[in-house]
Amino acid sequence: GLTIYEARGDYQMVSDTAEPLGTGALQLAFEQLKQKLQAEGLFDPKHKKALPTLPSRIGLVTSPTGAAVQDMLNVLNRRFSNRHIFILPTSVQGDKAAPEIVSALQNAEEWNQTHPERAIEVLIVGRGGGSLEDLWPFNEEIVARAIFQCSIPIISAVGHEIDVTISDFVADLRAPTPSAAAELVVPRKEDLLNLIDHQQIRLLTIFKKHLTQLRLHLGHLSNRLVDPK
């Protein structure tokens, strides 16, 4: 509060708390949680799970109404159109978001346990850009621990390229944007078809070369045969 020392006419400002210049309470909380989880080993590369090469079933943990989900669906359908996409709807900002994200991850685990023949093979967890406050659910400890404990490989895709969250450090892979995450999950079908064509041509060429060598060798052996008469 602001007060006046009447004897000298001086102004006085009394503060209950003080923070370093340019660093808010959220940023301090971010750094403290980051150091805590890092010390526990949650960011260790040895815990990172590999992504499947060409997953048939992909889960999206995000808002069902945001632009991010549409961006991811567009990219996935454009790159490989016959994938099965599960949308696990959650809030992505506000007080309800963190527990809803945790619940969505638990629902994915339960689905895989009860439907092993249709198990989700990879999850993208994230949202589009926003302020530090908007992205804060992805800096919550309960979300970080749920990502770490999830048996399904997870790509964290929160905000824009410059945004970094605790979820990014804990996840098996970090993508700079939700669209980039979708690109990391599946290759372009055209690229795979071109690769297959190239390998078929290479295999046929090698086979023809080997067959020619066998024929030459057979001819050489035939010429060495003595007439049995």
Side-chain angles (χ1 to χ4, degrees):
L2 186 64
T3 60
I4 300 176
Y5 181 57
E6 296 181 356
R8 294 199 304 264
D10 293 340
Y11 287 92
Q12 297 176 327
M13 182 174 290
V14 180
S15 176
D16 294 328
T17 61
E19 297 175 353
L21 182 64
T23 304
L26 290 181
Q27 190 63 42
L28 286 174
F30 174 91
E31 294 297 337
Q32 290 170 354
L33 181 58
K34 179 183 174 184
Q35 292 175 12
K36 174 184 176 181
L37 299 183
Q38 188 169 23
E40 291 184 28
L42 269 68
F43 305 162
D44 197 314
K46 70 181 181 182
H47 298 305
K48 307 295 185 186
K49 296 179 286 295
L51 300 184
T53 302
L54 184 58
S56 298
R57 291 167 295 278
I58 302 162
L60 308 181
V61 179
T62 190
S63 168
T65 59
V69 70
Q70 290 301 323
D71 291 342
M72 288 188 282
L73 290 173
N74 290 338
V75 171
L76 292 170
N77 288 328
R78 184 174 68 248
R79 291 174 72 86
F80 221 109
S81 59
N82 60 342
R83 304 298 89 186
H84 188 171
I85 311 300
F86 294 77
I87 298 178
L88 295 97
T90 69
S91 301
V92 291
Q93 68 184 66
D95 294 338
K96 296 181 179 179
E100 287 185 9
I101 294 168
V102 172
S103 178
L105 295 178
Q106 293 171 344
N107 290 340
E109 294 270 30
E110 292 174 4
W111 170 268
N112 283 8
Q113 292 172 4
T114 55
H115 303 82
E117 74 288 351
R118 290 183 287 163
I120 299 171
E121 298 168 70
V122 62
L123 291 167
I124 299 175
V125 178
R127 54 156 290 158
S131 65
L132 179 60
E133 291 82 358
D134 293 339
L135 306 182
W136 193 253
F138 300 91
N139 290 321
E140 293 280 4
E141 184 171 358
I142 59 170
V143 172
R145 295 194 182 279
I147 290 175
F148 181 77
Q149 294 166 3
C150 186
S151 65
I152 307 168
I154 291 178
I155 300 177
S156 176
V158 183
H160 299 304
E161 189 165 356
I162 60 172
D163 297 316
V164 180
T165 64
I166 298 294
S167 297
D168 294 333
F169 294 112
V170 184
D172 299 297
L173 187 66
R174 184 239 176 191
T177 64
S179 295
E183 292 176 354
L184 291 170
V185 165
V186 293
R188 292 176 68 248
K189 182 182 287 187
E190 293 81 1
D191 292 341
L192 288 182
L193 292 174
N194 290 337
L195 177 61
I196 291 171
D197 289 342
H198 174 74
Q199 298 286 41
Q200 285 180 331
I201 293 172
R202 185 169 177 267
L203 182 61
L204 185 59
T205 301
I206 294 173
F207 178 74
K208 286 181 177 179
K209 182 179 179 180
H210 184 60
L211 186 61
T212 300
Q213 291 174 341
L214 290 176
R215 284 173 175 166
L216 290 173
H217 185 57
L218 180 61
H220 177 67
L221 294 176
S222 298
N223 292 335
R224 294 176 59 188
L225 284 175
V226 178
D227 190 337
K229 294 180 181 180

